[in-house]
Amino acid sequence: MIDYLIVGCGLAGISFAEKALQHDKTILVVDNDSQNSSKIAGGLYNPVILKRFSEVWEAQAQLVTMNEFYTQLKPKIEQQFDYKMPIVRKFFSVEEQNNWFAASDKPALAPFLSTQLHFKEYKGITAPFGYGEVLHTGYVDTASLLSAYRNYLVDTNWFRQESFDYTAIVFEEDSVRYKDVQAKHIIFAEGFGLHANPYFNQLPLDGTKGELFIIKAPDLDLDVIVNTSVFILPLGNDLFKVGATYNWKDKTDLPTEEGKAELVERIQEIIGCDFEIITHFAGVRPTVRDRRPLVGTHPIHKQIHVLNGLGTRGVMLGPAMAKALYDAVENQIPLPKEIDIQRFTNKKK
């Protein structure tokens, strides 16, 4: 018998897998490669919502847990994936400067917003009103991280590439049988694929489609991430990742002309040089209407659990939410009410 059968190998799935392994638990991860939002994500970690100059929920604690988690992970996968890099907000007016200073006076935001305006000139961008710098930021190369971690799981025989068959679950008194596997627990970390899960598909998991570009811009030179209506992330060799759009109606992962036009327009608001679109891709983020993750245990079947709804902040939320679920399952530490699925589920079901 293994401790955990984990369904899904995105940011949520690998966060829980690694948390379990750090506590010497036995695992098997099953994934069919159908969900791509983690792989194509911008991967930024940023404790401030720059659109509204407001704090990300529990940002300080999430950053601490995230940094510990990725530091422990680095020796295992022997690949660089965590890049510390400043995020700057380009200002378009004196009013935006004033709003920045007002926000930096708030106790929750003061640790994250530099009070020194940033007037460095970047080739390809005109910014007469300067920039505000966000502290404790960077990005995770999610595609490299997920690929390397999957290879690690494959090498240790802890991974199966297959579509999960929900009808094959047999509940036993203190465990679950799935085909030839007996496990104490199943963790469902399927992202937007949760809609096919008969045990948790009543949860209000919405999907927010995001489209992104890789562009080539030889006349743009950045050593920071610029974030206004979209982010522009330097990748080296004149390449930049740019994103993202938000579409609440389209639930496909196909790039669209509408998304392309929107991104092009927003890029042109920020930079003043030519660029070429190298790649255009899209994915559906697992989002929730109250902007909080979906974490918890099934109201009837106590052996199955869900870890989902990380939305646009998977690199920050994943490690913290995996820790919260692990502590709930193993140590009976109650989940925070904000993330517990009991806020949606009827206990009488």
Side-chain angles (χ1 to χ4, degrees):
M1 185 188 299
I2 63 171
D3 292 301
Y4 291 100
L5 176 61
I6 301 166
V7 184
C9 198
L11 287 167
I14 72 162
S15 294
F16 193 90
E18 184 59 20
K19 176 57 65 175
L21 291 174
Q22 287 172 1
H23 287 85
D24 298 318
K25 301 298 182 181
T26 49
I27 68 168
L28 178 67
V29 179
V30 174
D31 188 89
N32 66 356
D33 226 14
S34 65
Q35 303 300 315
N36 69 343
S37 66
S38 286
K39 284 182 286 190
I40 71 161
L44 274 59
Y45 46 89
N46 172 11
V48 180
I49 300 171
L50 288 173
K51 187 176 181 180
R52 300 188 293 273
F53 294 143
S54 56
E55 182 194 15
V56 170
W57 171 73
E58 295 288 335
Q60 189 83 57
Q62 288 172 26
L63 282 173
V64 170
T65 303
M66 180 199 78
N67 284 317
E68 290 175 354
F69 179 82
Y70 292 134
T71 299
Q72 290 177 316
L73 196 54
K74 284 174 186 175
K76 181 170 288 188
I77 67 173
E78 299 177 338
Q79 185 168 327
Q80 173 69 352
F81 61 87
D82 182 8
Y83 298 87
K84 306 298 182 188
M85 185 176 288
I87 292 177
V88 299
R89 168 70 150 80
K90 178 182 172 180
F91 296 132
F92 291 88
S93 66
V94 172
E95 183 184 10
E96 286 192 348
Q97 293 177 343
N98 293 337
N99 290 341
W100 178 274
F101 285 122
S104 67
D105 279 340
K106 297 176 181 177
L109 291 174
F112 305 124
L113 298 182
S114 171
T115 55
Q116 298 293 316
L117 290 189
H118 185 30
F119 284 98
K120 181 175 177 179
E121 292 186 6
Y122 296 106
K123 181 184 172 187
I125 301 183
T126 302
F129 298 99
Y131 306 87
E133 182 178 346
V134 188
L135 308 175
H136 311 296
T137 59
Y139 76 97
V140 169
D141 182 344
T142 55
S144 294
L145 169 61
L146 295 173
S147 174
Y149 199 83
R150 177 182 290 218
N151 289 340
Y152 162 73
L153 294 173
V154 169
D155 290 343
T156 48
N157 293 316
W158 295 334
F159 182 83
R160 285 188 189 176
Q161 172 128 2
E162 64 178 67
S163 294
F164 191 83
D165 181 1
Y166 303 99
T167 66
I169 296 177
V170 177
F171 292 98
E172 300 182 353
E173 187 173 350
D174 293 313
S175 64
V176 184
R177 184 169 294 281
Y178 174 74
K179 298 182 178 179
D180 61 331
V181 178
Q182 191 162 10
K184 293 179 182 176
H185 304 277
I186 300 179
I187 305 295
F188 288 110
E190 308 129 301
F192 191 61
L194 183 76
H195 286 280
N197 185 325
Y199 297 100
F200 291 107
N201 62 6
Q202 81 284 1
L203 294 172
L205 184 76
D206 198 1
T208 309
K209 180 173 182 172
E211 301 190 44
L212 301 94
F213 288 160
I214 303 293
I215 64 170
K216 185 164 189 174
D219 295 324
L220 180 62
D221 187 15
L222 292 175
D223 58 1
V224 296
I225 302 164
V226 177
N227 195 342
T228 57
S229 56
V230 292
F231 66 81
I232 301 178
L233 164 62
L235 301 174
N237 299 316
D238 299 329
L239 297 175
F240 302 83
K241 181 180 276 191
V242 181
T245 62
Y246 291 82
N247 186 322
W248 287 267
K249 294 181 180 178
D250 184 356
K251 309 301 183 185
T252 71
D253 57 7
L254 300 174
T256 66
E257 286 301 314
E258 293 82 1
K260 179 179 179 180
E262 181 181 339
L263 279 178
V264 167
E265 181 181 352
R266 292 190 177 188
I267 294 168
Q268 291 172 338
E269 291 173 352
I270 302 169
I271 68 175
C273 58
D274 293 334
F275 60 90
E276 175 189 359
I277 300 168
I278 303 298
T279 312
H280 179 193
F281 43 96
V284 180
R285 312 172 185 90
T287 53
V288 186
R289 65 188 179 209
D290 65 359
R291 300 185 181 185
R292 296 290 178 265
L294 297 171
V295 185
T297 298
H298 192 273
I300 296 174
H301 304 293
K302 302 304 181 184
Q303 309 97 314
I304 63 174
H305 318 270
V306 65
L307 178 58
N308 209 312
L310 303 187
T312 61
R313 301 186 182 274
V315 296
M316 273 180 68
L317 277 172
M321 297 304 99
K323 180 180 186 299
L325 181 57
Y326 182 87
D327 285 343
V329 174
E330 292 290 338
N331 305 315
Q332 289 72 57
I333 297 174
L335 289 164
K337 288 181 290 186
E338 299 99 323
I339 66 171
D340 195 331
I341 59 171
Q342 286 189 16
R343 69 193 194 272
F344 298 119
T345 57
N346 183 342
K347 297 176 186 178
K348 296 179 181 178
K349 286 186 180 179

Tab-separated table of all heavy atoms in Angstrom, residues 165-210:
chain	number	residue	atom	x	y	z
A	165	ASP	N	-9.214	6.888	-14.451
A	165	ASP	CA	-10.544	6.301	-14.620
A	165	ASP	C	-11.271	6.342	-13.279
A	165	ASP	O	-11.017	5.521	-12.397
A	165	ASP	CB	-10.404	4.866	-15.123
A	165	ASP	CG	-11.753	4.189	-15.338
A	165	ASP	OD1	-12.812	4.834	-15.118
A	165	ASP	OD2	-11.759	2.994	-15.714
A	166	TYR	N	-12.166	7.310	-13.129
A	166	TYR	CA	-12.857	7.486	-11.847
A	166	TYR	C	-13.718	6.277	-11.501
A	166	TYR	O	-13.951	6.002	-10.317
A	166	TYR	CB	-13.722	8.748	-11.883
A	166	TYR	CG	-12.936	9.996	-12.203
A	166	TYR	CD1	-12.914	10.520	-13.493
A	166	TYR	CD2	-12.198	10.645	-11.221
A	166	TYR	CE1	-12.182	11.662	-13.800
A	166	TYR	CE2	-11.463	11.789	-11.513
A	166	TYR	CZ	-11.449	12.279	-12.802
A	166	TYR	OH	-10.715	13.399	-13.108
A	167	THR	N	-14.172	5.543	-12.510
A	167	THR	CA	-15.033	4.377	-12.240
A	167	THR	C	-14.246	3.210	-11.654
A	167	THR	O	-14.841	2.242	-11.174
A	167	THR	CB	-15.738	3.909	-13.526
A	167	THR	OG1	-14.760	3.407	-14.455
A	167	THR	CG2	-16.510	5.044	-14.173
A	168	ALA	N	-12.913	3.300	-11.697
A	168	ALA	CA	-12.086	2.203	-11.193
A	168	ALA	C	-11.774	2.343	-9.702
A	168	ALA	O	-11.087	1.495	-9.131
A	168	ALA	CB	-10.784	2.114	-11.989
A	169	ILE	N	-12.284	3.394	-9.069
A	169	ILE	CA	-12.030	3.575	-7.631
A	169	ILE	C	-12.916	2.629	-6.821
A	169	ILE	O	-14.132	2.550	-7.037
A	169	ILE	CB	-12.321	5.026	-7.202
A	169	ILE	CG1	-11.364	6.000	-7.886
A	169	ILE	CG2	-12.201	5.167	-5.680
A	169	ILE	CD1	-11.642	7.454	-7.553
A	170	VAL	N	-12.315	1.911	-5.910
A	170	VAL	CA	-13.048	1.067	-4.960
A	170	VAL	C	-12.685	1.548	-3.554
A	170	VAL	O	-11.508	1.548	-3.168
A	170	VAL	CB	-12.689	-0.420	-5.118
A	170	VAL	CG1	-13.429	-1.251	-4.062
A	170	VAL	CG2	-13.012	-0.918	-6.517
A	171	PHE	N	-13.694	1.988	-2.809
A	171	PHE	CA	-13.452	2.490	-1.456
A	171	PHE	C	-13.454	1.329	-0.477
A	171	PHE	O	-14.392	0.528	-0.447
A	171	PHE	CB	-14.515	3.516	-1.061
A	171	PHE	CG	-14.423	4.796	-1.848
A	171	PHE	CD1	-15.246	5.003	-2.955
A	171	PHE	CD2	-13.503	5.773	-1.505
A	171	PHE	CE1	-15.165	6.176	-3.684
A	171	PHE	CE2	-13.418	6.950	-2.230
A	171	PHE	CZ	-14.240	7.153	-3.326
A	172	GLU	N	-12.395	1.258	0.326
A	172	GLU	CA	-12.315	0.280	1.395
A	172	GLU	C	-12.313	1.025	2.725
A	172	GLU	O	-12.359	2.256	2.744
A	172	GLU	CB	-11.080	-0.601	1.187
A	172	GLU	CG	-11.168	-1.342	-0.155
A	172	GLU	CD	-10.004	-2.271	-0.433
A	172	GLU	OE1	-9.038	-2.257	0.351
A	172	GLU	OE2	-10.075	-3.008	-1.434
A	173	GLU	N	-12.272	0.311	3.804
A	173	GLU	CA	-12.499	0.956	5.099
A	173	GLU	C	-11.505	2.091	5.376
A	173	GLU	O	-11.896	3.195	5.743
A	173	GLU	CB	-12.437	-0.083	6.232
A	173	GLU	CG	-12.837	0.513	7.575
A	173	GLU	CD	-12.938	-0.551	8.662
A	173	GLU	OE1	-12.888	-1.752	8.343
A	173	GLU	OE2	-13.076	-0.161	9.836
A	174	ASP	N	-10.235	1.820	5.195
A	174	ASP	CA	-9.224	2.832	5.499
A	174	ASP	C	-8.295	3.098	4.321
A	174	ASP	O	-7.179	3.590	4.513
A	174	ASP	CB	-8.381	2.404	6.705
A	174	ASP	CG	-9.209	2.376	7.981
A	174	ASP	OD1	-9.942	3.356	8.217
A	174	ASP	OD2	-9.125	1.378	8.713
A	175	SER	N	-8.742	2.770	3.133
A	175	SER	CA	-7.892	2.969	1.967
A	175	SER	C	-8.757	3.034	0.714
A	175	SER	O	-9.987	2.956	0.778
A	175	SER	CB	-6.863	1.832	1.851
A	175	SER	OG	-7.527	0.590	1.631
A	176	VAL	N	-8.095	3.184	-0.413
A	176	VAL	CA	-8.761	3.225	-1.708
A	176	VAL	C	-8.007	2.300	-2.644
A	176	VAL	O	-6.761	2.317	-2.677
A	176	VAL	CB	-8.733	4.659	-2.293
A	176	VAL	CG1	-9.523	4.715	-3.593
A	176	VAL	CG2	-9.287	5.657	-1.301
A	177	ARG	N	-8.742	1.520	-3.404
A	177	ARG	CA	-8.099	0.711	-4.426
A	177	ARG	C	-8.392	1.333	-5.788
A	177	ARG	O	-9.523	1.688	-6.090
A	177	ARG	CB	-8.602	-0.740	-4.377
A	177	ARG	CG	-7.879	-1.661	-5.371
A	177	ARG	CD	-8.192	-3.118	-5.110
A	177	ARG	NE	-7.652	-3.555	-3.818
A	177	ARG	CZ	-6.373	-3.867	-3.600
A	177	ARG	NH1	-5.496	-3.766	-4.595
A	177	ARG	NH2	-5.983	-4.268	-2.420
A	178	TYR	N	-7.342	1.445	-6.588
A	178	TYR	CA	-7.481	1.951	-7.952
A	178	TYR	C	-6.686	1.024	-8.862
A	178	TYR	O	-5.451	1.004	-8.813
A	178	TYR	CB	-6.966	3.385	-8.069
A	178	TYR	CG	-6.965	3.902	-9.489
A	178	TYR	CD1	-8.159	4.259	-10.117
A	178	TYR	CD2	-5.786	3.995	-10.220
A	178	TYR	CE1	-8.162	4.702	-11.427
A	178	TYR	CE2	-5.785	4.444	-11.533
A	178	TYR	CZ	-6.974	4.789	-12.134
A	178	TYR	OH	-6.972	5.216	-13.437
A	179	LYS	N	-7.416	0.226	-9.657
A	179	LYS	CA	-6.772	-0.772	-10.516
A	179	LYS	C	-5.856	-1.641	-9.666
A	179	LYS	O	-6.311	-2.287	-8.740
A	179	LYS	CB	-6.045	-0.092	-11.679
A	179	LYS	CG	-6.975	0.690	-12.615
A	179	LYS	CD	-6.225	1.300	-13.778
A	179	LYS	CE	-7.173	2.031	-14.717
A	179	LYS	NZ	-6.467	2.668	-15.850
A	180	ASP	N	-4.542	-1.614	-9.943
A	180	ASP	CA	-3.612	-2.468	-9.188
A	180	ASP	C	-2.951	-1.728	-8.030
A	180	ASP	O	-1.997	-2.224	-7.426
A	180	ASP	CB	-2.524	-2.999	-10.121
A	180	ASP	CG	-1.706	-1.876	-10.741
A	180	ASP	OD1	-2.250	-0.774	-10.919
A	180	ASP	OD2	-0.510	-2.102	-11.054
A	181	VAL	N	-3.449	-0.520	-7.709
A	181	VAL	CA	-2.828	0.301	-6.674
A	181	VAL	C	-3.745	0.389	-5.468
A	181	VAL	O	-4.945	0.628	-5.605
A	181	VAL	CB	-2.556	1.732	-7.210
A	181	VAL	CG1	-1.945	2.602	-6.119
A	181	VAL	CG2	-1.663	1.691	-8.434
A	182	GLN	N	-3.182	0.196	-4.289
A	182	GLN	CA	-3.921	0.461	-3.059
A	182	GLN	C	-3.233	1.624	-2.356
A	182	GLN	O	-2.009	1.631	-2.194
A	182	GLN	CB	-3.949	-0.758	-2.142
A	182	GLN	CG	-4.934	-0.589	-0.977
A	182	GLN	CD	-5.290	-1.908	-0.324
A	182	GLN	OE1	-4.684	-2.932	-0.608
A	182	GLN	NE2	-6.273	-1.889	0.557
A	183	ALA	N	-4.023	2.624	-2.001
A	183	ALA	CA	-3.467	3.838	-1.405
A	183	ALA	C	-4.285	4.251	-0.197
A	183	ALA	O	-5.496	4.028	-0.151
A	183	ALA	CB	-3.449	4.968	-2.431
A	184	LYS	N	-3.616	4.886	0.746
A	184	LYS	CA	-4.348	5.422	1.887
A	184	LYS	C	-5.197	6.629	1.475
A	184	LYS	O	-6.295	6.827	2.004
A	184	LYS	CB	-3.363	5.841	2.987
A	184	LYS	CG	-2.620	4.674	3.625
A	184	LYS	CD	-1.646	5.179	4.679
A	184	LYS	CE	-0.852	4.023	5.285
A	184	LYS	NZ	0.169	4.503	6.257
A	185	HIS	N	-4.676	7.402	0.506
A	185	HIS	CA	-5.363	8.624	0.097
A	185	HIS	C	-5.185	8.858	-1.399
A	185	HIS	O	-4.171	8.473	-1.983
A	185	HIS	CB	-4.799	9.856	0.834
A	185	HIS	CG	-4.837	9.748	2.324
A	185	HIS	ND1	-5.951	10.047	3.063
A	185	HIS	CD2	-3.873	9.356	3.203
A	185	HIS	CE1	-5.681	9.864	4.347
A	185	HIS	NE2	-4.432	9.448	4.462
A	186	ILE	N	-6.156	9.535	-1.998
A	186	ILE	CA	-6.009	10.068	-3.354
A	186	ILE	C	-6.091	11.589	-3.258
A	186	ILE	O	-6.998	12.136	-2.619
A	186	ILE	CB	-7.101	9.560	-4.309
A	186	ILE	CG1	-7.071	8.042	-4.431
A	186	ILE	CG2	-6.915	10.182	-5.698
A	186	ILE	CD1	-8.154	7.478	-5.352
A	187	ILE	N	-5.145	12.257	-3.912
A	187	ILE	CA	-5.151	13.713	-4.006
A	187	ILE	C	-5.491	14.071	-5.446
A	187	ILE	O	-4.755	13.722	-6.374
A	187	ILE	CB	-3.777	14.317	-3.640
A	187	ILE	CG1	-3.313	13.846	-2.266
A	187	ILE	CG2	-3.838	15.844	-3.729
A	187	ILE	CD1	-4.157	14.300	-1.111
A	188	PHE	N	-6.591	14.762	-5.656
A	188	PHE	CA	-6.976	15.188	-7.002
A	188	PHE	C	-6.468	16.619	-7.225
A	188	PHE	O	-6.928	17.565	-6.572
A	188	PHE	CB	-8.494	15.117	-7.179
A	188	PHE	CG	-9.016	13.718	-7.273
A	188	PHE	CD1	-9.768	13.171	-6.246
A	188	PHE	CD2	-8.744	12.941	-8.396
A	188	PHE	CE1	-10.257	11.875	-6.328
A	188	PHE	CE2	-9.224	11.637	-8.492
A	188	PHE	CZ	-9.977	11.096	-7.465
A	189	ALA	N	-5.512	16.740	-8.143
A	189	ALA	CA	-4.897	18.037	-8.448
A	189	ALA	C	-4.923	18.230	-9.964
A	189	ALA	O	-3.892	18.417	-10.599
A	189	ALA	CB	-3.469	18.085	-7.903
A	190	GLU	N	-6.127	18.187	-10.532
A	190	GLU	CA	-6.287	18.105	-11.985
A	190	GLU	C	-6.460	19.437	-12.688
A	190	GLU	O	-6.703	19.467	-13.900
A	190	GLU	CB	-7.525	17.248	-12.318
A	190	GLU	CG	-7.550	15.912	-11.649
A	190	GLU	CD	-8.872	15.655	-10.938
A	190	GLU	OE1	-9.215	16.456	-10.049
A	190	GLU	OE2	-9.542	14.674	-11.280
A	191	GLY	N	-6.383	20.549	-11.954
A	191	GLY	CA	-6.620	21.824	-12.611
A	191	GLY	C	-8.026	21.892	-13.181
A	191	GLY	O	-8.994	21.403	-12.568
A	192	PHE	N	-8.156	22.501	-14.369
A	192	PHE	CA	-9.470	22.668	-14.970
A	192	PHE	C	-10.117	21.310	-15.290
A	192	PHE	O	-11.336	21.222	-15.466
A	192	PHE	CB	-9.361	23.519	-16.242
A	192	PHE	CG	-10.696	23.966	-16.781
A	192	PHE	CD1	-11.536	24.766	-16.034
A	192	PHE	CD2	-11.111	23.568	-18.049
A	192	PHE	CE1	-12.762	25.177	-16.523
A	192	PHE	CE2	-12.340	23.981	-18.550
A	192	PHE	CZ	-13.168	24.777	-17.784
A	193	GLY	N	-9.320	20.243	-15.325
A	193	GLY	CA	-9.852	18.898	-15.535
A	193	GLY	C	-10.754	18.413	-14.419
A	193	GLY	O	-11.405	17.367	-14.547
A	194	LEU	N	-10.828	19.172	-13.329
A	194	LEU	CA	-11.712	18.797	-12.212
A	194	LEU	C	-13.155	18.634	-12.667
A	194	LEU	O	-13.932	17.894	-12.047
A	194	LEU	CB	-11.631	19.869	-11.118
A	194	LEU	CG	-12.433	19.587	-9.843
A	194	LEU	CD1	-11.724	18.554	-8.992
A	194	LEU	CD2	-12.639	20.871	-9.034
A	195	HIS	N	-13.538	19.293	-13.753
A	195	HIS	CA	-14.922	19.218	-14.212
A	195	HIS	C	-15.335	17.802	-14.594
A	195	HIS	O	-16.527	17.481	-14.626
A	195	HIS	CB	-15.148	20.182	-15.375
A	195	HIS	CG	-15.202	21.612	-14.942
A	195	HIS	ND1	-16.322	22.196	-14.387
A	195	HIS	CD2	-14.250	22.580	-14.951
A	195	HIS	CE1	-16.064	23.455	-14.078
A	195	HIS	NE2	-14.818	23.719	-14.417
A	196	ALA	N	-14.365	16.943	-14.884
A	196	ALA	CA	-14.683	15.554	-15.226
A	196	ALA	C	-14.695	14.643	-13.999
A	196	ALA	O	-14.986	13.453	-14.120
A	196	ALA	CB	-13.663	15.030	-16.247
A	197	ASN	N	-14.406	15.196	-12.835
A	197	ASN	CA	-14.281	14.399	-11.613
A	197	ASN	C	-15.638	14.321	-10.914
A	197	ASN	O	-16.133	15.311	-10.385
A	197	ASN	CB	-13.245	15.057	-10.695
A	197	ASN	CG	-12.944	14.241	-9.454
A	197	ASN	OD1	-13.814	13.579	-8.900
A	197	ASN	ND2	-11.707	14.313	-9.007
A	198	PRO	N	-16.265	13.140	-10.876
A	198	PRO	CA	-17.620	13.046	-10.305
A	198	PRO	C	-17.664	13.293	-8.794
A	198	PRO	O	-18.742	13.546	-8.247
A	198	PRO	CB	-18.038	11.606	-10.626
A	198	PRO	CG	-16.753	10.858	-10.772
A	198	PRO	CD	-15.780	11.829	-11.365
A	199	TYR	N	-16.522	13.248	-8.134
A	199	TYR	CA	-16.511	13.435	-6.684
A	199	TYR	C	-16.395	14.902	-6.278
A	199	TYR	O	-16.792	15.282	-5.179
A	199	TYR	CB	-15.363	12.629	-6.053
A	199	TYR	CG	-15.531	11.151	-6.260
A	199	TYR	CD1	-14.832	10.489	-7.271
A	199	TYR	CD2	-16.425	10.420	-5.483
A	199	TYR	CE1	-15.001	9.126	-7.486
A	199	TYR	CE2	-16.606	9.056	-5.692
A	199	TYR	CZ	-15.897	8.421	-6.697
A	199	TYR	OH	-16.083	7.082	-6.918
A	200	PHE	N	-15.850	15.729	-7.168
A	200	PHE	CA	-15.629	17.123	-6.808
A	200	PHE	C	-16.138	18.108	-7.858
A	200	PHE	O	-15.912	19.310	-7.733
A	200	PHE	CB	-14.128	17.377	-6.566
A	200	PHE	CG	-13.592	16.713	-5.323
A	200	PHE	CD1	-12.761	15.602	-5.424
A	200	PHE	CD2	-13.906	17.193	-4.066
A	200	PHE	CE1	-12.255	14.981	-4.286
A	200	PHE	CE2	-13.411	16.585	-2.917
A	200	PHE	CZ	-12.587	15.482	-3.025
A	201	ASN	N	-16.820	17.624	-8.882
A	201	ASN	CA	-17.208	18.554	-9.960
A	201	ASN	C	-18.371	19.467	-9.581
A	201	ASN	O	-18.760	20.330	-10.374
A	201	ASN	CB	-17.504	17.819	-11.269
A	201	ASN	CG	-18.669	16.859	-11.162
A	201	ASN	OD1	-19.352	16.805	-10.133
A	201	ASN	ND2	-18.896	16.086	-12.201
A	202	GLN	N	-18.918	19.310	-8.379
A	202	GLN	CA	-19.935	20.258	-7.935
A	202	GLN	C	-19.303	21.533	-7.385
A	202	GLN	O	-19.997	22.526	-7.146
A	202	GLN	CB	-20.830	19.608	-6.857
A	202	GLN	CG	-20.261	19.596	-5.441
A	202	GLN	CD	-19.176	18.537	-5.237
A	202	GLN	OE1	-18.815	17.815	-6.153
A	202	GLN	NE2	-18.670	18.433	-4.002
A	203	LEU	N	-17.993	21.529	-7.184
A	203	LEU	CA	-17.317	22.729	-6.695
A	203	LEU	C	-17.302	23.801	-7.783
A	203	LEU	O	-17.197	23.476	-8.970
A	203	LEU	CB	-15.884	22.393	-6.269
A	203	LEU	CG	-15.755	21.468	-5.050
A	203	LEU	CD1	-14.308	21.047	-4.851
A	203	LEU	CD2	-16.293	22.154	-3.792
A	204	PRO	N	-17.379	25.067	-7.399
A	204	PRO	CA	-17.514	26.146	-8.391
A	204	PRO	C	-16.178	26.533	-9.015
A	204	PRO	O	-15.730	27.679	-8.918
A	204	PRO	CB	-18.110	27.293	-7.567
A	204	PRO	CG	-17.545	27.077	-6.202
A	204	PRO	CD	-17.487	25.585	-6.013
A	205	LEU	N	-15.530	25.558	-9.672
A	205	LEU	CA	-14.287	25.851	-10.373
A	205	LEU	C	-14.623	26.455	-11.722
A	205	LEU	O	-15.197	25.789	-12.580
A	205	LEU	CB	-13.447	24.589	-10.555
A	205	LEU	CG	-12.085	24.848	-11.200
A	205	LEU	CD1	-11.125	25.469	-10.190
A	205	LEU	CD2	-11.492	23.577	-11.765
A	206	ASP	N	-14.282	27.709	-11.874
A	206	ASP	CA	-14.464	28.365	-13.158
A	206	ASP	C	-13.175	28.150	-13.943
A	206	ASP	O	-12.230	27.549	-13.465
A	206	ASP	CB	-14.729	29.864	-12.927
A	206	ASP	CG	-15.348	30.531	-14.141
A	206	ASP	OD1	-15.585	29.823	-15.138
A	206	ASP	OD2	-15.575	31.747	-14.102
A	207	GLY	N	-13.147	28.626	-15.140
A	207	GLY	CA	-11.920	28.578	-15.912
A	207	GLY	C	-11.712	29.929	-16.556
A	207	GLY	O	-12.631	30.490	-17.142
A	208	THR	N	-10.508	30.461	-16.428
A	208	THR	CA	-10.199	31.747	-17.040
A	208	THR	C	-9.106	31.526	-18.067
A	208	THR	O	-7.975	31.188	-17.712
A	208	THR	CB	-9.736	32.769	-15.985
A	208	THR	OG1	-10.678	32.801	-14.920
A	208	THR	CG2	-9.610	34.138	-16.599
A	209	LYS	N	-9.452	31.692	-19.320
A	209	LYS	CA	-8.484	31.447	-20.386
A	209	LYS	C	-7.473	32.583	-20.439
A	209	LYS	O	-7.827	33.762	-20.344
A	209	LYS	CB	-9.205	31.330	-21.731
A	209	LYS	CG	-8.280	31.064	-22.910
A	209	LYS	CD	-9.089	30.800	-24.158
A	209	LYS	CE	-8.202	30.477	-25.345
A	209	LYS	NZ	-8.981	30.023	-26.518
A	210	GLY	N	-6.211	32.206	-20.587
A	210	GLY	CA	-5.155	33.192	-20.762
A	210	GLY	C	-4.360	32.904	-22.010
A	210	GLY	O	-4.060	31.744	-22.310
